[in-house]
């Protein structure tokens, strides 16, 4: 009984499989952030996508949104992380990210653990192909989809994702 064990609530418990999967995710991300040959667009084209998004919205993106769009689209790193609280405008910024990559001929895929978040990527960010993470993993596993150097994959709510599915998509994207 853990309730009767002193300090049991302060201890973290995980299976060896969970720990191994999370280490593999961390290693994959570490490798991808050091890359410089991943999909990227010219800064002028990224700024053009920002201006276009602002015109659609009838308002300016925040400095944080602009920085996120420029960072994600121009770095050439294999993995980028955008962090923000709910309602901060991440999806609004992702619409400009999508537009910048698509203007350069890249195919943008969106995915998320929940169907609702995947639908939001499609509706609000304009990412037409936005299956759930489970569906995307299944398509990859069953060779219904093969990612190429012309694909950009956006994983929404990555921190809430099931580890094995996230690792599968990271591996395919690399």
């Amino acid at each position: 009984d853990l309730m009767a064990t002193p300090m049991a609530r302060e201890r973290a418990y995980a299976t060896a499989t969970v720990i191994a999967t999370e280490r593999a995710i961390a290693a994959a991300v570490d490798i991808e952030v050091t890359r410089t040959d991943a999909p990227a667009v010219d800064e002028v084209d990224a700024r053009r996508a920002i201006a276009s998004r602002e015109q659609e919205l009838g308002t300016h993106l925040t400095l944080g949104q602009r920085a996120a769009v420029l960072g994600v689209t121009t770095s050439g790193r294999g993995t980028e992380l955008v962090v923000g609280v709910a309602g901060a405008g991440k999806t609004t910024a992702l619409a400009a990210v999508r537009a910048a990559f698509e203007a350069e001929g890249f195919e943008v895929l969106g995915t998320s653990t929940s169907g609702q978040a995947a639908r939001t990527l499609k509706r609000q960010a304009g990412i037409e192909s936005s299956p759930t993470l489970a569906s995307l993993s299944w398509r990859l596993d069953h060779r219904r989809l093969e990612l190429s150097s012309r694909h950009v994959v956006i994983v929404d709510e990555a921190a809430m994702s099931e580890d094995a599915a996230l690792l599968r998509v990271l591996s395919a994207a690399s």
Side-chain angles (χ1 to χ4, degrees):
D1 182 6
L2 290 178
M3 299 305 287
T5 305
M7 306 292 287
R9 289 188 177 155
E10 286 79 25
R11 293 183 192 152
Y13 294 93
T15 66
T17 303
V18 168
I19 292 169
T21 303
E22 289 180 354
R23 284 185 177 153
I25 290 169
V29 169
D30 283 346
I31 290 168
E32 291 301 310
V33 297
T34 63
R35 286 180 55 195
T36 58
D37 63 342
V41 302
D42 185 83
E43 184 175 337
V44 172
D45 295 326
R47 290 187 184 281
R48 191 174 292 124
I50 290 169
S52 177
R53 183 66 177 147
E54 289 175 335
Q55 187 173 6
E56 290 170 13
L57 294 169
T59 186
H60 292 289
L61 296 181
T62 67
L63 291 177
Q65 288 171 314
R66 286 176 176 217
V69 173
L70 288 171
V72 169
T73 58
T74 65
S75 76
R77 287 188 289 267
T79 297
E80 290 287 346
L81 180 64
V82 177
V83 179
V85 297
K90 297 178 299 294
T91 305
T92 299
L94 286 176
V97 168
R98 176 206 40 83
F101 280 120
E102 286 181 348
E104 292 294 315
F106 292 100
E107 184 176 346
V108 179
L109 301 175
T111 189
S112 185
T113 296
S114 78
Q116 181 60 40
R119 285 186 294 277
T120 298
L121 283 175
K122 185 173 185 173
R123 246 187 351 268
Q124 294 180 6
I127 303 171
E128 284 304 312
S129 181
S130 295
T132 63
L133 192 58
S135 176
L136 181 58
S137 296
W138 186 90
R139 291 176 194 182
L140 292 167
D141 289 343
H142 292 87
R143 293 196 165 99
R144 302 291 167 93
L145 173 67
E146 189 171 322
L147 299 179
S148 74
S149 62
R150 301 302 299 170
H151 282 95
V152 173
V153 180
I154 295 175
V155 180
D156 192 17
E157 299 180 348
M160 312 248 318
S161 298
E162 193 262 325
D163 289 343
L166 182 60
L167 181 58
R168 176 66 181 104
V169 171
L170 280 169
S171 297
S174 69

